[in-house]
Amino acid sequence: MPLPRRPRAVLRPAALRRAPRRSTRHRLAADAGLLAVAAAFALPLVWLVLSSLDTEATLRVRLPAAPSLRNFSAVLTDEITFTPMLNSLLICGGATLLTVVCAALAAYPLSRHRSRFSRPYLLTILFATCLPVTAVMVPVYALFVRVDLVDTRYGTALFLATAQLPFAIWLMKNFMDGVPKVLEEAAWTDGASWTQTLLRVILPLMGPGVAVVAVYTFLMMWGNFFVPFMLLLSPEQLPASVSILTFFGNYGAVAFGELAAFSILYSTPVLVMYLLVSRRLGGGFALGGAVKG
């Protein structure tokens, strides 16, 4: 005799209505959280743009009563903008170039040659990235005084490059691991040396990786205030990251309009650099068809 089948559970109409409402509430809560985060990032940018056009700007976000470019004309001088911006370009540009070159030379043997010392070396580099700059500034300053590198742009660039080198090596090695080794072997078969292989085979194929390292390194150096503030003493050699102090007067007085205008000009080189390498960043590794068979 067949056993009676159990009746299937039938959802009540109230339960059917409750499930969509719950998912809708979760989605609305997530959207509200994202909007709050977006507002937290967008509000300072809105204040920056509006205050740069307001001659009587304050910390409040408000539309300027009479929009004017007077703040920009006030900061576009040799002493306030042009000379510090040139110093920043020389210091950060030279340090970025030195960092990328040294990172490529250090990442090549770590990526291509296996050794029992590779892992301890990489862990040491990782530990070096965790050290704050303030922890090593006192001995570095004493060393720079002895070797006569204090108050020099090239000495500041050398220290900035050294500070960013550990993380740059990590990034460069990870990108270099993505290049097939058979391409190097083919170049060696044709008689190329390891320097020619690195310059003509590996680095062109990992162009996006080199661009990422260059942009990240330049960005971290461009916003560095503490290192040039400690190592540079002459006002004519200070970069823009330090000359921004000129907008902060005594007793808490701040020229908010000129500060906003200078901040927009100060962020322009980083945006221009990113736009120049954006195609390389989005292009990916062009390895398609490089390896046959």
Side-chain angles (χ1 to χ4, degrees):
M1 183 176 180
L3 297 175
R5 296 182 178 179
R6 295 182 179 179
R8 295 181 179 179
V10 180
L11 294 178
R12 298 180 180 178
L16 292 175
R17 290 193 301 267
R18 192 180 300 115
R21 290 179 181 176
R22 185 178 302 172
S23 62
T24 302
R25 287 197 300 267
H26 292 171
R27 185 172 64 253
L28 291 177
D31 294 341
L34 292 176
L35 288 176
V37 174
F41 281 94
L43 191 61
L45 298 178
V46 173
W47 176 88
L48 194 67
V49 175
L50 296 179
S51 298
S52 65
L53 302 176
D54 190 359
T55 56
E56 299 179 357
T58 61
L59 285 177
R60 294 182 179 181
V61 179
R62 63 180 184 182
L63 293 174
S68 173
L69 298 177
R70 192 177 303 173
N71 292 326
F72 288 95
S73 61
V75 300
L76 287 176
T77 61
D78 291 336
E79 183 181 357
I80 298 178
T81 300
F82 294 118
T83 300
M85 200 74 71
L86 179 61
N87 292 334
S88 295
L89 290 174
L90 293 176
I91 294 173
C92 299
T96 300
L97 180 61
L98 180 61
T99 302
V100 171
V101 172
C102 293
L105 295 177
Y108 181 74
L110 292 173
S111 175
R112 291 303 189 248
H113 302 288
R114 303 300 178 185
S115 173
R116 62 179 181 177
F117 300 105
S118 298
R119 183 173 178 80
Y121 182 75
L122 289 174
L123 293 177
T124 304
I125 294 178
L126 181 62
F127 174 75
T129 60
C130 302
L131 292 176
V133 179
T134 54
V136 298
M137 180 52 68
V138 173
V140 166
Y141 188 85
L143 176 63
F144 273 39
V145 169
R146 293 199 173 197
V147 297
D148 199 18
L149 287 179
V150 176
D151 200 21
T152 59
R153 285 193 291 260
Y154 60 88
T156 306
L158 179 62
F159 180 76
L160 289 174
T162 306
Q164 294 298 324
L165 187 59
F167 193 73
I169 293 176
W170 267 90
L171 286 178
M172 193 74 72
K173 178 187 177 299
N174 292 332
F175 286 114
M176 198 170 292
D177 290 340
V179 180
K181 194 174 181 179
V182 293
L183 299 177
E184 297 179 67
E185 296 174 352
W188 294 338
T189 303
D190 294 336
S193 61
W194 72 270
T195 54
Q196 293 174 338
T197 303
L198 178 63
L199 295 177
R200 298 182 180 182
V201 178
I202 298 178
L203 291 182
L205 289 176
M206 54 177 295
V210 177
V212 169
V213 174
V215 171
Y216 176 81
T217 303
F218 185 84
L219 181 61
M220 297 301 294
M221 295 177 183
W222 187 260
N224 195 305
F225 168 81
F226 184 71
V227 172
F229 179 75
M230 294 295 297
L231 298 181
L232 295 176
L233 306 178
S234 303
E236 64 273 7
Q237 295 191 16
L238 294 177
S241 60
V242 180
S243 66
I244 199 173
L245 287 176
T246 57
F247 301 102
F248 296 87
N250 296 327
Y251 306 105
V254 182
F256 290 106
E258 297 179 3
L259 176 62
F262 180 82
S263 300
I264 292 177
L265 297 175
Y266 178 61
S267 60
T268 301
V270 177
L271 296 177
V272 171
M273 182 179 181
Y274 176 77
L275 292 177
L276 291 177
V277 301
S278 60
R279 294 183 180 180
R280 300 291 294 176
L281 290 175
F285 289 97
L287 299 179
V291 183
K292 296 182 179 180

